[in-house]
Amino acid sequence: FPIDITFKSTNPFGWPQIVLSVYGPDFFGHDVVRGYGAVHVPFVPGRHKRTIAMFVPESSSRLQQLTSWFTGRRPEFTDPKVVAQGEGREVTRVRSQGFVTVSFNVM
């Protein structure tokens, strides 16, 4: 999807990121999260290709996993800042869930 954005800054600290939330149907046809990932937007002009490692939050117990599988309500983040910052994520149980490749054309 083309995105046209203009940024101006004297300091690239906290440079903008693209946060991805990928959803898809499960076995029962419920729309569930398939993965989250984030990548910093490159600020050097040119074509850039980034591979983003995706991850999915997991329930903390077997009973919660079984219940979420039957109800179709799997754990997911309500705030995209959790994915972008990473702060507080060290206590969240997640599972690796593949990769997404993003291509940037920066001018």
Side-chain angles (χ1 to χ4, degrees), residues 84-107:
Q85 293 176 347
E87 192 174 305
R89 263 196 351 210
E90 65 273 358
V91 296
T92 306
R93 182 178 289 184
V94 295
R95 175 176 35 104
S96 179
Q97 190 71 19
F99 299 92
V100 171
T101 302
V102 179
S103 179
F104 295 98
N105 292 313
V106 179
M107 297 188 332

Side-chain angles (χ1 to χ4, degrees), residues 1-2 5 18 21 23 32 42 63 79 85 87 91 96 104 107:
F1 302 102
I5 302 173
I18 290 184
S21 301
Y23 290 85
V32 295
L63 179 60
D79 188 8
Q85 293 176 347
E87 192 174 305
V91 296
S96 179
F104 295 98
M107 297 188 332

Side-chain angles (χ1 to χ4, degrees), residues 16-91:
Q17 298 181 48
I18 290 184
V19 176
L20 300 176
S21 301
V22 180
Y23 290 85
D26 66 356
F27 182 73
F28 299 110
H30 300 115
D31 215 18
V32 295
V33 66
R34 294 291 184 191
Y36 292 107
V39 65
H40 285 277
V41 176
F43 56 90
V44 177
R47 177 174 221 134
H48 305 276
K49 189 183 246 187
R50 299 288 188 260
T51 301
I52 306 168
M54 304 298 283
F55 59 90
V56 178
E58 283 197 331
S59 299
S60 57
S61 72
R62 293 280 182 205
L63 179 60
Q64 286 177 337
Q65 288 176 352
L66 184 64
T67 304
S68 68
W69 189 80
F70 278 119
T71 61
R73 304 263 323 179
R74 299 194 180 155
E76 58 183 83
F77 296 126
T78 56
D79 188 8
K81 289 181 183 177
V82 174
V83 179
Q85 293 176 347
E87 192 174 305
R89 263 196 351 210
E90 65 273 358
V91 296

